[in-house]
Amino acid sequence: MDEWVLEVVGEDARLPQDGVLRSLTTKFVLRHRVFGCLLTAGKTPLPEWGFKQGEVFCDQSGKSSNKDAVWNIEQHLNERLPEPEPRQYKSNFWQDFIHINMAMLDFNNGLVQDPDKYDHLASQPSQWPFLAVGIRLNKWWDSTLKIYLIGNPAVWWSGSLSLGVFIFTLAYYSVARGRLQQEREQEQQWEQEQDGDQQEHQHISTPANNTNTANDMILMTPQEWDHFTFAGKVTLGGWFLHYLPSLVMGRVMYLHHYFPPLYFTILLCAYLIDHFLTRSQARLLAKTLVWGFAYTVVTMTFVWFWPASYGFHGPSDSMKNRQWRAAWDIANPYKPRTFM
């Protein structure tokens, strides 16, 4: 009853398609001789009674196209077999790239929350941008060292707000540049119609100079515009590409999964401060005061939350003054689900 038939379903294109079983390169299925089903690996782990192990079953559909029923041999040791050529195991880069990313996607989607128990550490991606949650990293007993995973609120919130500020600024610049271009086209058309009248030509020249002055103060040169849009592509685009997978994955999520997108919001916030100071033509003293204020706020907030981040002893009530949000459970043992 435990007899299985090995069927080769794939082989590296650079090797002979002769049905010979090779380690790593040969893909095969195991079909039950009596029932005709295929040995298949399940994606959902077993409950507690199965020790969270992966389930292996016999798929009655018998379809070899099911990728969960395809196996290969990672290593085979036999002194009587000749050593294969090293180039035999050199795989195609793009095939490996696609395979590894698909494997990671399947693996992450398989890390689902246990329905038999409540995971108080888990959170939703919508709670991350405004730091609506934190994580208790160990037991919250009065006699133990307690560490609370939480970011610097000043950095976290300013970075998230910079996303909206950049989008608004980009929209404002785009509309202003479009209106300026339209005004210049109308002026050129009017000048062409009135090119014989010197008095009217002088009358048109004065508003054009005022418009150029406004352009210098509000809008940007083509080089500045290219730099502004490039910074947005890198920071805003980087944030979106790192945050988007969290919204579509089915696995259980935690606060630390937002760290990669967070880095891009920090870069964007710093860039916007520098951009506005440069565009306003602020003096060196004003720039020093603005940057000094930003550094002071970030440093003081870091020092204030130092005990929570690096561990504290004693009752958790001593950290009430650091629980700025009701959803944080530094002192409060209950963590309500909230978006903001």
Side-chain angles (χ1 to χ4, degrees):
M1 295 295 292
D2 292 330
E3 295 183 8
W4 300 84
V5 178
L6 189 149
E7 300 177 2
V8 176
V9 296
E11 181 60 88
D12 192 295
R14 295 168 297 179
L15 298 176
Q17 309 297 311
D18 50 8
V20 175
L21 186 65
R22 300 178 179 89
S23 59
L24 292 181
T25 61
T26 304
K27 299 177 181 179
F28 60 90
V29 296
L30 295 173
R31 187 180 302 275
H32 198 276
R33 182 181 296 275
V34 177
F35 300 107
C37 54
L38 297 179
L39 188 66
T40 307
K43 295 182 179 180
T44 304
L46 295 172
E48 292 290 346
W49 55 262
F51 304 100
K52 299 298 182 179
Q53 298 296 316
E55 182 183 12
V56 179
F57 62 96
C58 201
D59 185 8
Q60 297 293 337
S61 65
K63 296 181 179 179
S64 58
S65 59
N66 183 6
K67 61 180 181 179
D68 295 324
V70 178
W71 305 83
N72 75 319
I73 300 174
E74 291 188 356
Q75 187 179 27
H76 177 70
L77 302 177
N78 193 327
E79 297 178 354
R80 293 179 293 180
L81 291 178
E83 290 288 338
E85 296 183 4
R87 64 179 182 178
Q88 174 178 329
Y89 297 107
K90 185 179 180 181
S91 57
N92 183 273
F93 169 78
W94 290 111
Q95 289 181 353
D96 290 345
F97 178 81
I98 297 174
H99 172 73
I100 291 175
N101 280 272
M102 294 301 297
M104 288 191 298
L105 181 63
D106 290 342
F107 180 78
N108 276 284
N109 287 331
L111 298 176
V112 296
Q113 187 169 342
D114 189 353
D116 297 334
K117 63 179 181 180
Y118 170 71
D119 189 356
H120 68 282
L121 304 179
S123 58
Q124 299 297 325
S126 59
Q127 299 175 301
W128 301 339
F130 290 96
L131 197 59
V133 292
I135 299 180
R136 292 184 176 186
L137 295 181
N138 52 357
K139 298 296 183 181
W140 223 245
W141 299 330
D142 293 346
S143 59
T144 60
L145 178 68
K146 295 173 284 296
I147 301 176
Y148 193 75
L149 176 63
I150 187 172
N152 188 320
V155 174
W156 210 291
W157 294 336
S158 60
S160 297
L161 290 175
S162 65
L163 297 172
V165 173
F166 179 84
I167 294 175
F168 175 81
T169 305
L170 178 64
Y172 171 77
Y173 282 150
S174 300
V175 173
R177 286 170 61 87
R179 293 183 60 182
L180 179 63
Q181 182 65 26
Q182 184 179 7
E183 290 176 0
R184 287 178 175 176
E185 292 177 355
Q186 293 176 353
E187 290 172 2
Q188 292 176 358
Q189 183 179 2
W190 180 261
E191 289 176 356
Q192 292 175 359
E193 295 176 354
Q194 303 294 329
D195 57 353
D197 190 343
Q198 185 66 23
Q199 183 178 359
E200 292 184 9
H201 178 72
Q202 294 176 354
H203 180 72
I204 295 298
S205 300
T206 302
N209 292 334
N210 293 337
T211 303
N212 291 334
T213 302
N215 179 34
D216 294 337
M217 296 177 59
I218 300 176
L219 301 181
M220 294 181 286
T221 63
Q223 294 77 11
E224 292 173 333
W225 174 252
D226 291 341
H227 180 68
F228 181 81
T229 54
F230 174 77
K233 293 176 183 178
V234 173
T235 55
L236 186 62
W239 173 84
F240 179 77
L241 292 177
H242 284 77
Y243 186 55
L244 178 63
S246 303
L247 302 176
V248 298
M249 285 194 301
R251 61 157 294 168
V252 59
M253 306 296 294
Y254 301 99
L255 179 63
H256 63 265
H257 288 121
Y258 188 70
F259 286 172
L262 176 65
Y263 298 147
F264 288 94
T265 63
I266 296 174
L267 295 174
L268 179 59
C269 181
Y271 169 76
L272 286 177
I273 295 176
D274 179 74
H275 172 76
F276 291 133
L277 290 176
T278 303
R279 295 299 302 163
S280 63
Q281 298 180 353
R283 296 183 178 181
L284 179 61
L285 178 59
K287 293 181 179 180
T288 303
L289 291 176
V290 171
W291 285 113
F293 175 77
Y295 293 150
T296 301
V297 171
V298 171
T299 303
M300 292 182 63
T301 308
F302 170 77
V303 174
W304 180 250
F305 283 92
W306 178 292
S309 301
Y310 288 87
F312 67 97
H313 289 88
S316 58
D317 291 342
S318 61
M319 306 297 291
K320 280 186 176 180
N321 52 0
R322 290 170 177 81
Q323 187 163 319
W324 290 0
R325 304 200 55 181
W328 296 351
D329 55 346
I330 302 177
N332 184 6
Y334 302 104
K335 183 171 60 175
R337 296 294 182 182
T338 179
F339 169 72
M340 296 294 292

